[in-house]
Amino acid sequence: MPESKDAHHISLYSRASNCFDKPHAGEDVLHQKAEHFQKLFHVSDEQLRDITDRFVGVLREGLEHEKQTVPMLPTFVFGWPTGKEKGDYLSLDLGGTNLRVCLVELKGNGKFEITQSKFRITSEQKHEDGQKLFDFCAQCVKDFVENHYGSCALHENLSLGFTFSYPIVQHAIDHGELIRWTKGFGNPNTEGHDCAAMLREALKRHEVPVVLSSIINDTTGTLIASNYVEPDTKIACIFGTGCNAAYMEHVSEIPKIAHLHLPQDEDMAINCEYGAFDSFEHKHLHDVRTKYDEYIDLHSNKPHEQAYEKMIAGLYLGEIFRLVLCDLVDDGVLFLGQETYKIEKPFSFDTAFLSLIETDPTDELLTVMGLFKYFFALETEYNERIFFRELSRAIGTRSARLSACGIAAIVKKMDYLDAGCTVGCDGSLYSKYPNFADRVHHSLEAILGPKGRNIKTRQAEDGSGAGSAVIAAMTKSRKEKGIYKNL
Ligand code: ADP
Ligand code: MG
């Protein structure tokens, strides 16, 4: 057995030997494999710092020029909320996995109440004609409104904020042209179209009594919602199906919109769309990119796009894990003599399984045993289950460490390190993946030094729904004051 520097590691493996009268045939091999994958998915502190510095440069380029890989999209959301915004607003959130309709009651003291319905989006719906997808959205809003208000609300015309979590180009707050689909969507006749107009059209056709006031990205919504509740929040991140961040930039620092002649002392939220970091040329993450990342990338419906996201987001971590397992099946290391067709199915291994594997509370890893048995009809040995846990940790840790680079890059760009700030985080990876937040915090310290502790993360619950409502309220107020035709 090769020597391991990690005492915890050794004890796990010697325990594995004790569990069985005679050592299992694959034990040594699996131990070596575990070490191999720990190394493969390890990103050193030095690499984190290097990636972060490159990231800062990429953020600046996106602010300077149009059509950059990380597009740094102006959102036309000007400045922070006051916390006093009030009223009832509807919001529709088209995420990567679910569609949510919310009624948000802003209370005007940094507090809000939210009532929501969730609808699952099927894989067929991700590929049917775009207008059909928006028809489905309109129907969901209609059902929600009718359930909550009955038909008496049909003359009221509620204000609807649309949270659309894909990269859009905006010229105004109620206009958004889709640059490209991400997160596995590929609906035809949508890229290059104004998705606010497409939804407006569907709402009209379905006779839904609402007015579409704004189209925003979930990350921008999370930024504003989190700041509404906790004014120390200066950055928002999404760690869900995909990954992204938004922050508030000085208009004077966005040279690419100088031609709009906006007041230079204003601030505008920027939707970074930084899941696209390192796309196409793959030069910044080159040293940490594995053949599994490459495989996922090349077999996705958008090869070479969203390179950073594909290494860290919920849609992909389970798939990376599954690809490693398939490799080991091919090598004759795992599941010898068993039918493996179920686990050979692409994307059959949900990232939620990695969470389960990492948190199995039983000594014999019985949760892991059950998971493989019931979802994949596979029997597992104890030493294999230990290996799965090590592998989950390696993949989950890499995700969190790389995630910290994006946050650290914004902190550096905005000089937030000394004063510190809070990062509002949304998404199942952040809220449900064990240790994800701790791993991000450790990595922030590794990148930024001891002051990295000044950067805190905080759960931004229901950010996209509430944020959209706060932005609708801010927009209404600015329109009433007659500020900016671009609103
Ligand atoms: P959306 O991106 O649609 O807003 P979520 O934030 O819930 O939705 O993210 C969904 C992603 O999170 C999916 O890719 C799923 O695999 C992953 N996920 C769901 N539950 C867990 C969990 N318990 N642990 C880790 N990942 C999870
Ligand atoms: Mg979401």
Side-chain angles (χ1 to χ4, degrees), residues 93 95-96 100 165 218 238 240 426-427 464:
D93 175 12
R100 263 178 301 231
S165 311
D218 59 347
I238 304 291
D426 198 11
S464 46

Side-chain angles (χ1 to χ4, degrees), residues 65-279:
H65 309 288
E66 295 286 353
K67 299 200 164 88
Q68 298 299 294
T69 307
V70 173
M72 303 297 278
L73 303 169
T75 61
F76 295 85
V77 173
F78 291 96
W80 298 114
T82 60
K84 294 188 178 126
E85 290 78 4
K86 253 185 168 173
D88 284 3
Y89 296 87
L90 277 177
S91 68
L92 170 70
D93 175 12
L94 185 64
T97 309
N98 298 306
L99 188 148
R100 263 178 301 231
V101 186
C102 314
L103 171 65
V104 187
E105 193 189 331
L106 300 177
K107 306 248 184 206
N109 51 359
K111 295 203 165 65
F112 61 85
E113 262 175 37
I114 196 157
T115 320
Q116 67 171 26
S117 288
K118 265 192 183 188
F119 307 84
R120 185 131 192 129
I121 304 162
T122 64
S123 38
E124 292 80 52
Q125 283 174 315
K126 294 183 182 180
H127 296 281
E128 68 194 10
D129 191 83
Q131 194 61 59
K132 256 187 110 176
L133 177 68
F134 290 114
D135 277 339
F136 174 70
C137 293
Q139 190 58 51
C140 291
V141 176
K142 188 171 185 174
D143 292 350
F144 182 89
V145 170
E146 283 178 1
N147 276 340
H148 279 265
Y149 291 90
S151 51
C152 64
L154 291 180
H155 60 275
E156 270 188 16
N157 277 355
L158 287 155
S159 171
L160 174 77
F162 182 25
T163 308
F164 185 64
S165 311
Y166 306 87
I168 50 175
V169 173
Q170 298 196 264
H171 306 300
I173 189 86
D174 58 357
H175 163 105
E177 269 167 42
L178 179 63
I179 300 174
R180 59 178 185 279
W181 281 118
T182 56
K183 296 183 275 189
F185 277 67
N187 307 66
N189 302 320
T190 321
E191 290 181 356
H193 294 252
D194 176 3
C195 293
M198 288 178 84
L199 178 62
R200 210 174 276 121
E201 169 69 23
L203 290 165
K204 197 171 150 196
R205 200 152 358 95
H206 289 257
E207 298 179 338
V208 193
V210 300
V211 180
L212 182 61
S213 69
S214 46
I215 179 166
I216 59 156
N217 185 279
D218 59 347
T219 323
T220 313
T222 303
L223 179 70
I224 298 300
S226 304
N227 181 276
Y228 180 77
V229 174
E230 161 63 68
D232 193 41
T233 307
K234 307 291 182 214
I235 301 170
C237 287
I238 304 291
F239 301 109
T241 311
C243 82
N244 191 15
Y247 72 103
M248 194 61 74
E249 184 57 274
H250 312 301
V251 167
S252 59
E253 292 271 303
I254 321 174
K256 66 178 176 183
I257 55 166
H259 62 278
L260 296 178
H261 304 295
L262 299 169
Q264 295 295 294
D265 57 348
E266 285 265 7
D267 291 335
M268 189 197 286
I270 295 289
N271 165 23
C272 303
E273 285 299 336
Y274 74 25
F277 177 64
D278 201 44
S279 297

Side-chain angles (χ1 to χ4, degrees), residues 95-98 100 240-242 314-315 350-352 355 427-429 432-433:
T97 309
N98 298 306
R100 263 178 301 231
T241 311
L315 182 55
D350 197 286
T351 299
S355 291
S428 290
L429 205 58
K432 296 185 189 156
Y433 200 108

